[in-house]
Short mmCIF file of all heavy atoms in Angstrom, two decimals:
data_model
loop_
_atom_site.label_atom_id
_atom_site.label_comp_id
_atom_site.label_asym_id
_atom_site.label_seq_id
_atom_site.Cartn_x
_atom_site.Cartn_y
_atom_site.Cartn_z
N MET E 1 -189.94 -132.63 32.66
CA MET E 1 -188.95 -133.56 32.16
C MET E 1 -189.50 -134.98 32.33
O MET E 1 -189.96 -135.34 33.40
CB MET E 1 -187.65 -133.39 32.95
CG MET E 1 -186.53 -134.22 32.40
SD MET E 1 -184.97 -133.93 33.26
CE MET E 1 -184.65 -132.23 32.86
N ASP E 2 -189.44 -135.77 31.28
CA ASP E 2 -189.98 -137.13 31.30
C ASP E 2 -188.85 -138.12 31.61
O ASP E 2 -188.07 -138.48 30.75
CB ASP E 2 -190.62 -137.46 29.96
CG ASP E 2 -191.29 -138.81 29.95
OD1 ASP E 2 -191.35 -139.47 31.01
OD2 ASP E 2 -191.76 -139.21 28.88
N TYR E 3 -188.76 -138.55 32.87
CA TYR E 3 -187.70 -139.46 33.28
C TYR E 3 -187.91 -140.88 32.75
O TYR E 3 -186.99 -141.68 32.77
CB TYR E 3 -187.55 -139.47 34.80
CG TYR E 3 -187.09 -138.14 35.32
CD1 TYR E 3 -187.89 -137.36 36.12
CD2 TYR E 3 -185.84 -137.65 34.99
CE1 TYR E 3 -187.47 -136.14 36.58
CE2 TYR E 3 -185.40 -136.43 35.43
CZ TYR E 3 -186.22 -135.68 36.24
OH TYR E 3 -185.79 -134.46 36.68
N ALA E 4 -189.09 -141.19 32.28
CA ALA E 4 -189.34 -142.52 31.71
C ALA E 4 -188.57 -142.71 30.41
O ALA E 4 -188.36 -143.84 29.99
CB ALA E 4 -190.83 -142.71 31.47
N LYS E 5 -188.15 -141.63 29.75
CA LYS E 5 -187.42 -141.72 28.49
C LYS E 5 -185.93 -141.98 28.68
O LYS E 5 -185.21 -142.16 27.71
CB LYS E 5 -187.61 -140.45 27.66
CG LYS E 5 -189.02 -140.26 27.19
CD LYS E 5 -189.28 -139.05 26.33
CE LYS E 5 -188.22 -138.06 26.13
NZ LYS E 5 -188.57 -136.91 25.33
N ILE E 6 -185.45 -142.00 29.92
CA ILE E 6 -184.03 -142.22 30.18
C ILE E 6 -183.64 -143.62 29.74
O ILE E 6 -184.26 -144.60 30.14
CB ILE E 6 -183.68 -142.02 31.67
CG1 ILE E 6 -183.88 -140.56 32.06
CG2 ILE E 6 -182.24 -142.46 31.95
CD1 ILE E 6 -183.66 -140.28 33.53
N GLN E 7 -182.63 -143.72 28.87
CA GLN E 7 -182.14 -145.01 28.40
C GLN E 7 -180.90 -145.35 29.21
O GLN E 7 -179.79 -144.97 28.86
CB GLN E 7 -181.80 -144.92 26.92
CG GLN E 7 -182.99 -144.58 26.06
CD GLN E 7 -182.58 -144.32 24.63
OE1 GLN E 7 -181.43 -144.41 24.26
NE2 GLN E 7 -183.54 -143.99 23.82
N TYR E 8 -181.07 -146.08 30.28
CA TYR E 8 -179.97 -146.33 31.19
C TYR E 8 -180.23 -147.64 31.92
O TYR E 8 -181.36 -147.97 32.20
CB TYR E 8 -179.85 -145.17 32.17
CG TYR E 8 -178.55 -145.09 32.90
CD1 TYR E 8 -177.37 -144.78 32.24
CD2 TYR E 8 -178.49 -145.33 34.27
CE1 TYR E 8 -176.17 -144.70 32.92
CE2 TYR E 8 -177.29 -145.25 34.95
CZ TYR E 8 -176.14 -144.93 34.27
OH TYR E 8 -174.96 -144.86 34.94
N PHE E 9 -179.17 -148.36 32.22
CA PHE E 9 -179.30 -149.67 32.82
C PHE E 9 -179.45 -149.64 34.33
O PHE E 9 -179.79 -150.63 34.95
CB PHE E 9 -178.09 -150.54 32.45
CG PHE E 9 -176.78 -150.01 32.94
CD1 PHE E 9 -176.30 -150.34 34.19
CD2 PHE E 9 -176.03 -149.14 32.15
CE1 PHE E 9 -175.10 -149.84 34.65
CE2 PHE E 9 -174.82 -148.65 32.60
CZ PHE E 9 -174.35 -149.00 33.85
N GLU E 10 -179.17 -148.53 34.95
CA GLU E 10 -179.16 -148.44 36.41
C GLU E 10 -180.39 -147.67 36.87
O GLU E 10 -180.83 -146.73 36.24
CB GLU E 10 -177.89 -147.69 36.83
CG GLU E 10 -177.66 -147.68 38.31
CD GLU E 10 -176.33 -147.02 38.64
OE1 GLU E 10 -175.32 -147.43 38.05
OE2 GLU E 10 -176.33 -146.10 39.46
N LYS E 11 -180.91 -148.07 38.02
CA LYS E 11 -182.08 -147.38 38.58
C LYS E 11 -181.64 -146.06 39.21
O LYS E 11 -180.83 -146.04 40.13
CB LYS E 11 -182.75 -148.26 39.62
CG LYS E 11 -184.03 -147.65 40.15
CD LYS E 11 -184.71 -148.60 41.10
CE LYS E 11 -185.98 -147.96 41.62
NZ LYS E 11 -186.63 -148.81 42.61
N ALA E 12 -182.16 -144.96 38.70
CA ALA E 12 -181.86 -143.64 39.24
C ALA E 12 -182.92 -143.29 40.27
O ALA E 12 -184.09 -143.15 39.93
CB ALA E 12 -181.83 -142.61 38.13
N GLU E 13 -182.50 -143.14 41.50
CA GLU E 13 -183.47 -142.95 42.58
C GLU E 13 -183.65 -141.49 43.01
O GLU E 13 -184.65 -141.15 43.61
CB GLU E 13 -183.09 -143.81 43.77
CG GLU E 13 -183.14 -145.29 43.43
CD GLU E 13 -182.86 -146.19 44.61
OE1 GLU E 13 -182.73 -145.67 45.74
OE2 GLU E 13 -182.76 -147.40 44.39
N THR E 14 -182.68 -140.63 42.71
CA THR E 14 -182.82 -139.24 43.11
C THR E 14 -183.01 -138.36 41.87
O THR E 14 -182.59 -138.72 40.77
CB THR E 14 -181.58 -138.73 43.88
OG1 THR E 14 -180.47 -138.71 42.99
CG2 THR E 14 -181.28 -139.63 45.07
N LYS E 15 -183.61 -137.23 42.08
CA LYS E 15 -183.84 -136.30 40.98
C LYS E 15 -182.51 -135.82 40.38
O LYS E 15 -182.37 -135.72 39.17
CB LYS E 15 -184.67 -135.11 41.44
CG LYS E 15 -185.03 -134.16 40.34
CD LYS E 15 -185.93 -133.04 40.81
CE LYS E 15 -186.25 -132.13 39.65
NZ LYS E 15 -187.12 -131.04 40.04
N GLY E 16 -181.52 -135.57 41.23
CA GLY E 16 -180.21 -135.12 40.75
C GLY E 16 -179.54 -136.18 39.89
O GLY E 16 -178.94 -135.86 38.86
N HIS E 17 -179.65 -137.43 40.29
CA HIS E 17 -179.08 -138.54 39.52
C HIS E 17 -179.79 -138.65 38.18
O HIS E 17 -179.16 -138.80 37.13
CB HIS E 17 -179.21 -139.83 40.32
CG HIS E 17 -178.47 -140.99 39.73
ND1 HIS E 17 -178.69 -142.26 40.13
CD2 HIS E 17 -177.54 -141.06 38.75
CE1 HIS E 17 -177.93 -143.10 39.43
NE2 HIS E 17 -177.22 -142.38 38.60
N GLN E 18 -181.10 -138.53 38.17
CA GLN E 18 -181.88 -138.59 36.93
C GLN E 18 -181.51 -137.45 35.99
O GLN E 18 -181.38 -137.65 34.78
CB GLN E 18 -183.37 -138.55 37.25
CG GLN E 18 -183.86 -139.81 37.95
CD GLN E 18 -185.26 -139.66 38.48
OE1 GLN E 18 -185.76 -138.54 38.69
NE2 GLN E 18 -185.92 -140.78 38.73
N GLU E 19 -181.34 -136.26 36.53
CA GLU E 19 -180.98 -135.10 35.71
C GLU E 19 -179.59 -135.27 35.11
O GLU E 19 -179.35 -134.91 33.96
CB GLU E 19 -181.08 -133.81 36.52
CG GLU E 19 -182.51 -133.43 36.82
CD GLU E 19 -182.64 -132.25 37.76
OE1 GLU E 19 -181.60 -131.77 38.29
OE2 GLU E 19 -183.78 -131.80 37.97
N PHE E 20 -178.64 -135.82 35.88
CA PHE E 20 -177.30 -136.06 35.37
C PHE E 20 -177.33 -137.06 34.22
O PHE E 20 -176.72 -136.84 33.18
CB PHE E 20 -176.38 -136.56 36.48
CG PHE E 20 -175.02 -136.97 35.97
CD1 PHE E 20 -174.07 -136.01 35.67
CD2 PHE E 20 -174.72 -138.30 35.76
CE1 PHE E 20 -172.83 -136.37 35.17
CE2 PHE E 20 -173.48 -138.68 35.27
CZ PHE E 20 -172.54 -137.72 34.97
N ILE E 21 -178.03 -138.16 34.40
CA ILE E 21 -178.14 -139.18 33.35
C ILE E 21 -178.77 -138.58 32.11
O ILE E 21 -178.30 -138.80 30.99
CB ILE E 21 -178.96 -140.39 33.85
CG1 ILE E 21 -178.18 -141.12 34.95
CG2 ILE E 21 -179.29 -141.34 32.70
CD1 ILE E 21 -178.99 -142.15 35.70
N ASN E 22 -179.81 -137.79 32.28
CA ASN E 22 -180.46 -137.14 31.14
C ASN E 22 -179.50 -136.21 30.41
O ASN E 22 -179.45 -136.19 29.18
CB ASN E 22 -181.70 -136.37 31.60
CG ASN E 22 -182.52 -135.86 30.46
OD1 ASN E 22 -182.86 -136.61 29.54
ND2 ASN E 22 -182.85 -134.58 30.48
N SER E 23 -178.69 -135.46 31.14
CA SER E 23 -177.76 -134.53 30.50
C SER E 23 -176.65 -135.27 29.76
O SER E 23 -176.11 -134.75 28.78
CB SER E 23 -177.14 -133.59 31.54
OG SER E 23 -176.23 -134.28 32.37
N GLN E 24 -176.31 -136.47 30.18
CA GLN E 24 -175.26 -137.25 29.52
C GLN E 24 -175.79 -138.01 28.30
O GLN E 24 -175.03 -138.31 27.38
CB GLN E 24 -174.65 -138.25 30.50
CG GLN E 24 -173.88 -137.59 31.62
CD GLN E 24 -172.70 -136.78 31.11
OE1 GLN E 24 -171.81 -137.31 30.45
NE2 GLN E 24 -172.68 -135.49 31.39
N ASN E 25 -177.07 -138.33 28.29
CA ASN E 25 -177.64 -139.16 27.23
C ASN E 25 -178.41 -138.38 26.17
O ASN E 25 -178.74 -138.93 25.12
CB ASN E 25 -178.58 -140.22 27.83
CG ASN E 25 -177.83 -141.26 28.60
OD1 ASN E 25 -176.68 -141.55 28.31
ND2 ASN E 25 -178.47 -141.83 29.60
N ASN E 26 -178.73 -137.11 26.44
CA ASN E 26 -179.56 -136.34 25.52
C ASN E 26 -178.95 -134.98 25.21
O ASN E 26 -178.24 -134.41 26.02
CB ASN E 26 -180.95 -136.13 26.13
CG ASN E 26 -181.66 -137.45 26.35
OD1 ASN E 26 -181.99 -138.14 25.41
ND2 ASN E 26 -181.87 -137.81 27.60
N CYS E 27 -179.26 -134.49 24.03
CA CYS E 27 -178.78 -133.18 23.58
C CYS E 27 -179.32 -132.08 24.48
O CYS E 27 -180.52 -132.04 24.77
CB CYS E 27 -179.21 -132.96 22.13
SG CYS E 27 -178.73 -131.36 21.45
N VAL E 28 -178.45 -131.18 24.90
CA VAL E 28 -178.88 -130.08 25.76
C VAL E 28 -179.68 -129.04 24.98
O VAL E 28 -180.42 -128.26 25.57
CB VAL E 28 -177.69 -129.40 26.48
CG1 VAL E 28 -177.03 -130.37 27.44
CG2 VAL E 28 -176.69 -128.87 25.49
N LEU E 29 -179.55 -129.03 23.66
CA LEU E 29 -180.28 -128.06 22.84
C LEU E 29 -181.69 -128.51 22.49
O LEU E 29 -182.63 -127.74 22.58
CB LEU E 29 -179.50 -127.77 21.55
CG LEU E 29 -178.13 -127.14 21.73
CD1 LEU E 29 -177.43 -127.03 20.38
CD2 LEU E 29 -178.25 -125.79 22.40
N CYS E 30 -181.82 -129.79 22.07
CA CYS E 30 -183.13 -130.24 21.58
C CYS E 30 -183.70 -131.45 22.31
O CYS E 30 -184.86 -131.79 22.10
CB CYS E 30 -183.05 -130.54 20.08
SG CYS E 30 -182.10 -132.03 19.68
N GLY E 31 -182.91 -132.12 23.16
CA GLY E 31 -183.40 -133.26 23.92
C GLY E 31 -183.33 -134.60 23.21
O GLY E 31 -183.70 -135.62 23.78
N THR E 32 -182.85 -134.63 21.97
CA THR E 32 -182.73 -135.88 21.22
C THR E 32 -181.68 -136.77 21.86
O THR E 32 -180.67 -136.29 22.36
CB THR E 32 -182.33 -135.58 19.75
OG1 THR E 32 -183.34 -134.76 19.17
CG2 THR E 32 -182.17 -136.85 18.93
N ALA E 33 -181.92 -138.10 21.84
CA ALA E 33 -180.94 -139.05 22.37
C ALA E 33 -179.65 -138.94 21.56
O ALA E 33 -179.67 -138.91 20.33
CB ALA E 33 -181.49 -140.47 22.30
N LEU E 34 -178.53 -138.86 22.27
CA LEU E 34 -177.23 -138.74 21.61
C LEU E 34 -176.80 -140.07 20.99
O LEU E 34 -177.15 -141.13 21.49
CB LEU E 34 -176.17 -138.31 22.62
CG LEU E 34 -176.36 -136.93 23.24
CD1 LEU E 34 -175.31 -136.70 24.33
CD2 LEU E 34 -176.29 -135.84 22.20
N GLU E 35 -176.05 -139.98 19.91
CA GLU E 35 -175.45 -141.15 19.29
C GLU E 35 -173.99 -141.20 19.71
O GLU E 35 -173.30 -140.18 19.72
CB GLU E 35 -175.55 -141.07 17.77
CG GLU E 35 -176.96 -141.23 17.27
CD GLU E 35 -177.06 -141.23 15.75
OE1 GLU E 35 -176.04 -141.05 15.07
OE2 GLU E 35 -178.17 -141.40 15.26
N LEU E 36 -173.53 -142.39 20.09
CA LEU E 36 -172.16 -142.56 20.54
C LEU E 36 -171.37 -143.32 19.49
O LEU E 36 -171.86 -144.29 18.92
CB LEU E 36 -172.11 -143.33 21.86
CG LEU E 36 -172.82 -142.67 23.04
CD1 LEU E 36 -172.78 -143.58 24.25
CD2 LEU E 36 -172.21 -141.34 23.37
N LEU E 37 -170.16 -142.87 19.27
CA LEU E 37 -169.23 -143.53 18.36
C LEU E 37 -168.00 -143.90 19.17
O LEU E 37 -167.45 -143.07 19.90
CB LEU E 37 -168.84 -142.59 17.21
CG LEU E 37 -167.78 -143.08 16.25
CD1 LEU E 37 -168.28 -144.30 15.48
CD2 LEU E 37 -167.40 -141.97 15.29
N HIS E 38 -167.57 -145.17 19.06
CA HIS E 38 -166.39 -145.64 19.77
C HIS E 38 -165.36 -146.07 18.75
O HIS E 38 -165.65 -146.87 17.86
CB HIS E 38 -166.75 -146.80 20.71
CG HIS E 38 -167.68 -146.38 21.79
ND1 HIS E 38 -169.05 -146.51 21.67
CD2 HIS E 38 -167.45 -145.80 22.98
CE1 HIS E 38 -169.61 -146.05 22.77
NE2 HIS E 38 -168.67 -145.61 23.59
N ILE E 39 -164.15 -145.53 18.88
CA ILE E 39 -163.06 -145.81 17.95
C ILE E 39 -161.89 -146.40 18.73
O ILE E 39 -161.37 -145.76 19.65
CB ILE E 39 -162.61 -144.53 17.23
CG1 ILE E 39 -163.79 -143.88 16.51
CG2 ILE E 39 -161.46 -144.83 16.27
CD1 ILE E 39 -163.56 -142.45 16.10
N ARG E 40 -161.49 -147.61 18.37
CA ARG E 40 -160.34 -148.24 19.01
C ARG E 40 -159.08 -147.78 18.30
O ARG E 40 -158.98 -147.84 17.08
CB ARG E 40 -160.46 -149.76 18.92
CG ARG E 40 -159.39 -150.46 19.72
CD ARG E 40 -159.58 -151.94 19.70
NE ARG E 40 -159.16 -152.43 18.39
CZ ARG E 40 -159.35 -153.66 17.96
NH1 ARG E 40 -160.00 -154.52 18.68
NH2 ARG E 40 -158.90 -154.03 16.78
N MET E 41 -158.12 -147.29 19.09
CA MET E 41 -156.86 -146.81 18.54
C MET E 41 -155.75 -147.72 19.05
O MET E 41 -155.23 -147.53 20.15
CB MET E 41 -156.65 -145.34 18.94
CG MET E 41 -157.74 -144.44 18.38
SD MET E 41 -157.53 -142.69 18.75
CE MET E 41 -157.77 -142.66 20.51
N ASP E 42 -155.42 -148.73 18.24
CA ASP E 42 -154.44 -149.74 18.64
C ASP E 42 -153.06 -149.16 18.88
O ASP E 42 -152.36 -149.57 19.80
CB ASP E 42 -154.36 -150.84 17.58
CG ASP E 42 -155.62 -151.67 17.52
OD1 ASP E 42 -156.28 -151.83 18.57
OD2 ASP E 42 -155.96 -152.16 16.43
N GLU E 43 -152.65 -148.18 18.07
CA GLU E 43 -151.29 -147.64 18.19
C GLU E 43 -151.04 -146.96 19.54
O GLU E 43 -149.93 -146.92 20.03
CB GLU E 43 -150.97 -146.69 17.03
CG GLU E 43 -151.81 -145.42 16.97
CD GLU E 43 -153.20 -145.60 16.34
OE1 GLU E 43 -153.50 -146.67 15.81
OE2 GLU E 43 -153.99 -144.64 16.42
N THR E 44 -152.09 -146.43 20.15
CA THR E 44 -151.94 -145.77 21.45
C THR E 44 -152.61 -146.55 22.58
O THR E 44 -152.67 -146.06 23.71
CB THR E 44 -152.53 -144.35 21.42
OG1 THR E 44 -153.91 -144.42 21.05
CG2 THR E 44 -151.77 -143.46 20.45
N GLN E 45 -153.13 -147.75 22.27
CA GLN E 45 -153.82 -148.57 23.26
C GLN E 45 -154.90 -147.77 23.98
O GLN E 45 -154.94 -147.70 25.22
CB GLN E 45 -152.83 -149.16 24.27
CG GLN E 45 -151.86 -150.14 23.66
CD GLN E 45 -152.58 -151.42 23.23
OE1 GLN E 45 -153.19 -152.08 24.04
NE2 GLN E 45 -152.51 -151.74 21.95
N SER E 46 -155.76 -147.13 23.19
CA SER E 46 -156.81 -146.31 23.78
C SER E 46 -158.12 -146.45 23.00
O SER E 46 -158.16 -147.02 21.91
CB SER E 46 -156.38 -144.84 23.83
OG SER E 46 -156.07 -144.37 22.55
N LEU E 47 -159.16 -145.94 23.58
CA LEU E 47 -160.50 -145.97 23.00
C LEU E 47 -161.04 -144.54 23.03
O LEU E 47 -161.02 -143.88 24.09
CB LEU E 47 -161.41 -146.89 23.81
CG LEU E 47 -162.82 -147.06 23.33
CD1 LEU E 47 -162.83 -147.92 22.06
CD2 LEU E 47 -163.67 -147.70 24.40
N LYS E 48 -161.50 -144.06 21.89
CA LYS E 48 -162.06 -142.71 21.81
C LYS E 48 -163.57 -142.80 21.71
O LYS E 48 -164.10 -143.53 20.88
CB LYS E 48 -161.50 -141.97 20.60
CG LYS E 48 -161.98 -140.53 20.51
CD LYS E 48 -161.33 -139.81 19.34
CE LYS E 48 -161.73 -138.36 19.28
NZ LYS E 48 -161.09 -137.66 18.17
N GLU E 49 -164.24 -142.06 22.59
CA GLU E 49 -165.69 -142.00 22.59
C GLU E 49 -166.11 -140.60 22.13
O GLU E 49 -165.65 -139.61 22.68
CB GLU E 49 -166.25 -142.27 23.98
CG GLU E 49 -167.76 -142.14 24.05
CD GLU E 49 -168.28 -142.21 25.47
OE1 GLU E 49 -167.97 -141.30 26.25
OE2 GLU E 49 -168.97 -143.18 25.77
N GLU E 50 -166.98 -140.54 21.15
CA GLU E 50 -167.53 -139.27 20.70
C GLU E 50 -169.05 -139.35 20.76
O GLU E 50 -169.64 -140.34 20.34
CB GLU E 50 -167.10 -138.97 19.26
CG GLU E 50 -165.62 -138.75 19.09
CD GLU E 50 -165.24 -138.45 17.64
OE1 GLU E 50 -166.08 -138.57 16.74
OE2 GLU E 50 -164.07 -138.10 17.43
N ALA E 51 -169.67 -138.31 21.29
CA ALA E 51 -171.12 -138.23 21.36
C ALA E 51 -171.58 -137.04 20.52
O ALA E 51 -170.98 -135.97 20.57
CB ALA E 51 -171.59 -138.05 22.80
N HIS E 52 -172.62 -137.27 19.72
CA HIS E 52 -173.16 -136.16 18.94
C HIS E 52 -174.68 -136.31 18.80
O HIS E 52 -175.23 -137.40 18.94
CB HIS E 52 -172.48 -136.06 17.57
CG HIS E 52 -172.97 -137.06 16.58
ND1 HIS E 52 -172.53 -138.35 16.55
CD2 HIS E 52 -173.89 -136.94 15.60
CE1 HIS E 52 -173.14 -139.00 15.59
NE2 HIS E 52 -173.98 -138.17 15.00
N CYS E 53 -175.32 -135.19 18.52
CA CYS E 53 -176.77 -135.16 18.34
C CYS E 53 -177.08 -135.34 16.86
O CYS E 53 -176.63 -134.53 16.04
CB CYS E 53 -177.33 -133.83 18.84
SG CYS E 53 -179.10 -133.66 18.53
N PRO E 54 -177.85 -136.36 16.50
CA PRO E 54 -178.20 -136.55 15.09
C PRO E 54 -179.16 -135.48 14.57
O PRO E 54 -179.22 -135.22 13.36
CB PRO E 54 -178.84 -137.94 15.07
CG PRO E 54 -179.37 -138.14 16.45
CD PRO E 54 -178.43 -137.40 17.35
N GLN E 55 -179.88 -134.83 15.45
CA GLN E 55 -180.84 -133.79 15.05
C GLN E 55 -180.15 -132.45 14.81
O GLN E 55 -180.32 -131.83 13.78
CB GLN E 55 -181.92 -133.64 16.13
CG GLN E 55 -183.01 -132.67 15.81
CD GLN E 55 -183.94 -133.16 14.72
OE1 GLN E 55 -184.15 -134.36 14.55
NE2 GLN E 55 -184.49 -132.24 13.96
N CYS E 56 -179.34 -132.01 15.75
CA CYS E 56 -178.66 -130.71 15.68
C CYS E 56 -177.30 -130.80 14.99
O CYS E 56 -176.73 -129.78 14.63
CB CYS E 56 -178.42 -130.14 17.07
SG CYS E 56 -179.90 -129.88 18.04
N ASP E 57 -176.77 -132.00 14.88
CA ASP E 57 -175.44 -132.25 14.34
C ASP E 57 -174.37 -131.53 15.16
O ASP E 57 -173.41 -130.99 14.63
CB ASP E 57 -175.36 -131.87 12.86
CG ASP E 57 -174.20 -132.56 12.16
OD1 ASP E 57 -173.82 -133.67 12.59
OD2 ASP E 57 -173.67 -131.98 11.20
N VAL E 58 -174.55 -131.54 16.48
CA VAL E 58 -173.62 -130.91 17.41
C VAL E 58 -172.85 -132.01 18.13
O VAL E 58 -173.45 -132.97 18.63
CB VAL E 58 -174.38 -130.04 18.44
CG1 VAL E 58 -173.46 -129.55 19.54
CG2 VAL E 58 -175.06 -128.89 17.75
N ARG E 59 -171.52 -131.90 18.20
CA ARG E 59 -170.73 -132.84 18.98
C ARG E 59 -170.75 -132.35 20.42
O ARG E 59 -170.39 -131.22 20.72
CB ARG E 59 -169.30 -132.91 18.48
CG ARG E 59 -168.50 -133.99 19.20
CD ARG E 59 -167.14 -134.11 18.68
NE ARG E 59 -166.33 -133.05 19.27
CZ ARG E 59 -165.03 -132.98 19.19
NH1 ARG E 59 -164.36 -133.88 18.51
NH2 ARG E 59 -164.37 -132.01 19.75
N THR E 60 -171.17 -133.21 21.31
CA THR E 60 -171.32 -132.80 22.71
C THR E 60 -170.14 -133.18 23.57
O THR E 60 -169.90 -132.55 24.58
CB THR E 60 -172.60 -133.38 23.32
OG1 THR E 60 -172.53 -134.81 23.24
CG2 THR E 60 -173.82 -132.88 22.58
N ARG E 61 -169.42 -134.25 23.21
CA ARG E 61 -168.24 -134.62 23.98
C ARG E 61 -167.37 -135.56 23.18
O ARG E 61 -167.83 -136.26 22.29
CB ARG E 61 -168.60 -135.23 25.33
CG ARG E 61 -169.20 -136.61 25.25
CD ARG E 61 -169.47 -137.17 26.66
NE ARG E 61 -170.13 -138.44 26.61
CZ ARG E 61 -171.43 -138.64 26.62
NH1 ARG E 61 -172.24 -137.61 26.70
NH2 ARG E 61 -171.93 -139.85 26.56
N ALA E 62 -166.10 -135.56 23.51
CA ALA E 62 -165.13 -136.50 22.97
C ALA E 62 -164.15 -136.79 24.10
O ALA E 62 -163.59 -135.88 24.70
CB ALA E 62 -164.41 -135.91 21.77
N LYS E 63 -163.97 -138.06 24.40
CA LYS E 63 -163.10 -138.45 25.49
C LYS E 63 -162.28 -139.65 25.08
O LYS E 63 -162.76 -140.52 24.38
CB LYS E 63 -163.92 -138.78 26.73
CG LYS E 63 -163.07 -139.05 27.94
CD LYS E 63 -163.84 -138.92 29.20
CE LYS E 63 -162.87 -139.13 30.36
NZ LYS E 63 -163.45 -138.89 31.62
N VAL E 64 -161.02 -139.68 25.50
CA VAL E 64 -160.13 -140.80 25.20
C VAL E 64 -159.87 -141.56 26.48
O VAL E 64 -159.54 -140.97 27.52
CB VAL E 64 -158.80 -140.29 24.58
CG1 VAL E 64 -157.84 -141.44 24.37
CG2 VAL E 64 -159.06 -139.55 23.29
N TYR E 65 -160.04 -142.89 26.41
CA TYR E 65 -159.80 -143.77 27.54
C TYR E 65 -158.61 -144.65 27.23
O TYR E 65 -158.50 -145.24 26.15
CB TYR E 65 -161.01 -144.68 27.80
CG TYR E 65 -162.28 -143.91 28.09
CD1 TYR E 65 -163.18 -143.61 27.06
CD2 TYR E 65 -162.58 -143.48 29.37
CE1 TYR E 65 -164.35 -142.91 27.31
CE2 TYR E 65 -163.74 -142.78 29.64
CZ TYR E 65 -164.62 -142.51 28.60
OH TYR E 65 -165.77 -141.81 28.86
N THR E 66 -157.69 -144.77 28.18
CA THR E 66 -156.52 -145.63 28.01
C THR E 66 -156.90 -147.05 28.36
O THR E 66 -157.54 -147.31 29.38
CB THR E 66 -155.38 -145.16 28.92
OG1 THR E 66 -155.07 -143.81 28.61
CG2 THR E 66 -154.14 -146.03 28.75
N LEU E 67 -156.54 -147.99 27.48
CA LEU E 67 -156.80 -149.40 27.73
C LEU E 67 -155.61 -150.01 28.44
O LEU E 67 -154.46 -149.79 28.06
CB LEU E 67 -157.04 -150.13 26.40
CG LEU E 67 -158.19 -149.59 25.56
CD1 LEU E 67 -158.24 -150.31 24.24
CD2 LEU E 67 -159.51 -149.73 26.29
N ILE E 68 -155.88 -150.76 29.46
CA ILE E 68 -154.79 -151.37 30.23
C ILE E 68 -154.85 -152.87 30.06
O ILE E 68 -155.81 -153.49 30.02
CB ILE E 68 -154.88 -151.01 31.73
CG1 ILE E 68 -154.74 -149.52 31.86
CG2 ILE E 68 -153.83 -151.73 32.52
CD1 ILE E 68 -154.95 -149.00 33.27
#
C-alpha cells in the first residue's frame, strides 16, 4: 500500500490511522480516489455528502449532516 498517495491534510502517524484514511478516500474495489459531492438542503437545514468512485461508478457512502 502506497501511503504517499493519501490526499489528506493531517499527518497520519500510525499504520491504522493511515489505513482508515485510505479506506475513506479511495475505492475499496479498485483504489481510485473517491469523488465527493456536497448538496446543501435549505429546507431541512442540512448538508448531504455523497462519495462515489469515478472508475467503478459505485457509490460508497451517503451521509446527511444537520447544520446548526
Side-chain angles (χ1 to χ4, degrees):
M1 186 176 295
D2 184 5
Y3 295 114
K5 293 182 353 182
I6 294 176
Q7 299 172 1
Y8 197 68
F9 62 89
E10 188 175 308
K11 185 176 180 183
E13 297 184 6
T14 66
K15 185 176 180 179
H17 189 194
Q18 292 170 339
E19 288 174 354
F20 173 78
I21 293 169
N22 189 50
S23 72
Q24 294 298 301
N25 291 331
N26 298 294
C27 178
V28 295
L29 298 175
C30 71
T32 300
L34 296 174
E35 290 183 357
L36 299 176
L37 175 65
H38 296 94
I39 303 164
R40 187 176 75 189
M41 298 182 292
D42 292 329
E43 64 280 352
T44 58
Q45 294 291 301
S46 58
L47 181 73
K48 183 176 183 179
E49 177 188 66
E50 294 180 352
H52 78 279
C53 176
Q55 183 71 30
C56 300
D57 201 29
V58 171
R59 186 177 80 169
T60 59
R61 71 178 176 269
K63 186 161 183 174
V64 176
Y65 301 94
T66 302
L67 302 175
I68 298 174

